[in-house]
Amino acid sequence: MQIFADQRELARGAANEFVARAVAAVAQRGSFTVALSGGSTPKLLYRLLASSGDPFRHQVPWRETHFFWSDERHVPPDHADSNYRMTNEAMLSHVPVPQTNIHRIYGENPDAIEAARDYERHLIEITGDTLPRLDLILLGLGPDGHTASIFPGSEVLHETQHLVGAPWVEKLNTYRITMTLPLLNNAASILFLVSGAEKAEIVRAVLEGHKQYPAEYVKPTNGELLWLLDKDAAPD
Ligand code: 6PG
């Protein structure tokens, strides 16, 4: 766990971790596979990685980096709720990443389950593995302990076959498309980015591990798990 003074320092710390893993993966395997998280917390990180005023932009091997998403809302890519749209506006549209390296979830597919199956097939095709080992997965944490789009009480929490699921989220009255635990826990590296005092309680509960919250089940089988928090989100 790393704790930073504020959101800006958290984004800077996360950018350092991102670049270090990107450079190492390309040095070892010639490519870097990363899954981006949605929500509001990672936006500062994405902006920082793309900003011409900072060193990070020149350190990321954009042409060797393949971008995936840990989850997506059931909306088109130009919709205000789209995680793809957020990451594209904050970062991808400003950096020299080949379009063929951008592997978004097709949230516009009216059949969310089909969108999940398509993304699973695409992940396997691009990585060449039936159980891909992504180099890095970014995750956030919701106040209810959800991560990616694995919400408390959701059947997708118990998914063991599919790499991508399409749970119906009653309280949001919508489907979501999300990477499942077998795929998440096969990653080489998982970074949780969490900020804000409203998250301190759930961070403490997840770290205490009462097996109540989906985020507790993110435990890489053979990889690292790193919590990056700002001071407000850090448990006392
Ligand atoms: C999403 C995210 C979700 C997010 C948490 C935290 O699509 O919403 O992937 O899991 O990370 O809800 O969101 P905030 O960063 O906005 O608090």
Side-chain angles (χ1 to χ4, degrees):
M1 178 188 298
Q2 293 176 30
I3 299 173
F4 298 89
D6 55 33
Q7 283 192 347
R8 287 197 65 73
E9 288 311 307
L10 171 64
R12 192 162 291 283
N16 281 317
E17 300 296 337
F18 185 103
V19 167
R21 285 162 185 75
V23 170
V26 171
Q28 285 155 25
R29 287 178 294 282
S31 67
F32 173 56
T33 53
V34 57
L36 304 175
S37 63
S40 56
T41 306
K43 208 181 281 183
L44 264 182
L45 162 65
Y46 301 149
R47 287 201 184 117
L48 197 52
L49 290 171
S51 98
S52 49
D54 267 278
F56 302 113
R57 178 196 172 92
H58 310 293
Q59 297 165 341
V60 175
W62 299 105
R63 288 181 178 73
E64 293 81 23
T65 298
H66 285 263
F67 290 94
F68 300 89
W69 279 258
S70 41
D71 73 326
E72 184 57 282
R73 287 81 181 281
H74 197 208
V75 295
D78 57 357
H79 189 284
D81 292 348
S82 163
N83 285 339
Y84 165 76
R85 176 178 165 179
M86 182 273 283
T87 49
N88 190 47
E89 288 175 354
M91 177 173 65
L92 298 174
S93 59
H94 307 288
V95 294
V97 58
Q99 279 305 312
T100 48
N101 287 20
I102 297 178
H103 311 282
R104 71 178 181 84
I105 297 172
Y106 282 65
E108 67 267 40
N109 184 334
D111 182 336
I113 294 170
E114 188 184 271
R117 297 293 169 270
D118 288 349
Y119 203 56
E120 179 171 282
R121 276 190 292 274
H122 188 67
L123 273 158
I124 292 171
E125 188 194 318
I126 295 295
T127 62
D129 296 325
T130 52
L131 179 54
R133 180 172 170 76
L134 299 182
D135 294 308
L136 174 63
I137 297 182
L138 301 179
L139 292 175
L141 179 65
D144 60 359
H146 81 261
T147 190
S149 282
I150 306 175
F151 285 80
S154 170
E155 81 279 0
V156 79
L157 187 58
H158 310 292
E159 177 63 60
T160 56
Q161 301 308 314
H162 287 290
L163 307 177
V164 185
W168 172 256
V169 185
E170 192 60 42
K171 66 178 176 184
L172 301 176
N173 195 33
T174 183
Y175 282 99
R176 286 281 188 96
I177 298 125
T178 184
M179 290 184 171
T180 62
L181 289 169
L183 178 58
L184 295 176
N185 286 332
N186 198 46
S189 190
I190 294 183
L191 296 190
F192 271 101
L193 266 74
V194 189
S195 88
E198 74 283 1
K199 299 282 179 71
E201 186 50 35
I202 190 65
V203 169
R204 189 188 53 69
V206 167
L207 294 174
E208 277 178 1
H210 301 296
K211 292 262 176 278
Q212 275 175 288
Y213 304 106
E216 293 177 59
Y217 294 85
V218 176
K219 288 194 178 350
T221 39
N222 172 20
E224 65 171 341
L225 176 61
L226 190 55
W227 287 81
L228 303 180
L229 312 172
D230 67 7
K231 185 166 55 20
D232 294 343
D236 302 329

